Amino acid sequence: MASPSPFRRALRPQLYVCAHCTLGQHMPKTAKRLIGQKYLAKIAQAELDWTTQARHIRAGKKKSILSLLEERGYVNAVAGGRDNLDKLMTNKRIGAYVGIDPTAPSLHVGHLLPFMVLFWMYVHGFHTISLVGGATAKIGDPTGRTTSRQAQSSAVRKANLHAMHYQVKALWRKVESYGEKHGYKWEWAWRRGIDNNTTWMEKLSVMELLKVLGPGIRLGTMLSRDT
């Protein structure tokens, strides 16, 4: 019998084993405590490294991430003041995300620009998320267009979602390989992930949405827009 193709193997679900349950059954309490202490020590060391890096940036010994992005032409405008953002990104390991809606079966070249910013932030130690808009793809988006987004069936959206998910995973593997080639070695504190906004959007009720966003929405402004 012929072996399954690599693509079919990639789609095969992986068994999930709860690490907490597995470790809890076979490890004494002292071992659990040591794991917790090691993890906390890594967090403390990561914070110390970030503080040291921030001190070097403020002293002019190293460029800030915002300066690097500006040099490469990735920054067009800054909300809230450029210096405030620079200070925030220097002092804190903030998170960043890039969202893509699965309205097509593949990424395109237009997705590359925001992803390049995300890649640079990742290799400089920031937490990064590639967000696939499984929920947003269900909603029309006529902004800047003469017609609304064409509605797609659930099967098409799911197929697009899976295709983009594997594309993004492959893209990140290339990024880490390319970064290592140019001297950016992976560190424990680096974090990247792929998420789907369906995870929380489907659980969000209309009342909860209005409670959070309602006070900041002006109907007059909304109604004045042609779209």
Side-chain angles (χ1 to χ4, degrees), residues 44 47 49 60 71 89 99 114 133 162 200 204 215:
E47 290 298 320
D49 292 343
E71 286 181 357
M89 297 176 74
H162 282 89
W200 65 87
L204 187 64

Side-chain angles (χ1 to χ4, degrees), residues 17-164:
V17 179
C18 176
H20 176 74
C21 299
T22 305
L23 292 175
Q25 292 176 359
H26 305 288
M27 298 184 66
K29 293 182 179 179
T30 53
K32 295 182 195 177
R33 186 163 59 249
L34 286 174
I35 290 176
Q37 290 173 350
K38 289 180 180 179
Y39 180 76
L40 292 175
K42 287 182 178 180
I43 293 178
Q45 184 61 50
E47 290 298 320
L48 179 61
D49 292 343
W50 193 266
T51 301
T52 302
Q53 174 182 269
R55 186 164 60 248
H56 289 165
I57 292 174
R58 289 192 294 268
K61 298 178 181 179
K62 188 175 182 179
K63 292 182 179 180
S64 68
I65 182 63
L66 183 57
S67 298
L68 290 171
L69 294 177
E70 288 173 332
E71 286 181 357
R72 287 162 176 76
Y74 291 131
V75 180
N76 178 49
V78 175
R82 192 265 179 200
D83 292 341
N84 291 334
L85 180 60
D86 192 32
K87 183 178 179 180
L88 174 66
M89 297 176 74
T90 297
N91 295 332
K92 292 187 177 182
R93 196 191 299 269
I94 62 173
Y97 81 94
V98 167
I100 49 175
D101 288 348
T103 53
S106 174
L107 298 171
H108 56 74
V109 69
H111 290 118
L112 184 60
L113 182 60
F115 268 121
M116 287 298 293
V117 176
L118 205 65
F119 299 154
W120 274 105
M121 292 186 69
Y122 173 71
V123 298
H124 283 84
F126 292 90
H127 296 171
T128 57
I129 293 291
S130 305
L131 182 64
V132 183
T136 345
K138 302 176 183 179
I139 305 171
D141 181 20
T143 305
R145 302 171 182 158
T146 56
T147 58
S148 181
R149 174 186 290 167
Q150 185 177 0
Q152 295 178 329
S153 67
S154 176
V156 171
R157 285 197 305 269
K158 288 180 179 179
N160 293 344
L161 185 71
H162 282 89
M164 282 193 172

Side-chain angles (χ1 to χ4, degrees), residues 1-5:
M1 183 180 294
S3 60
S5 68

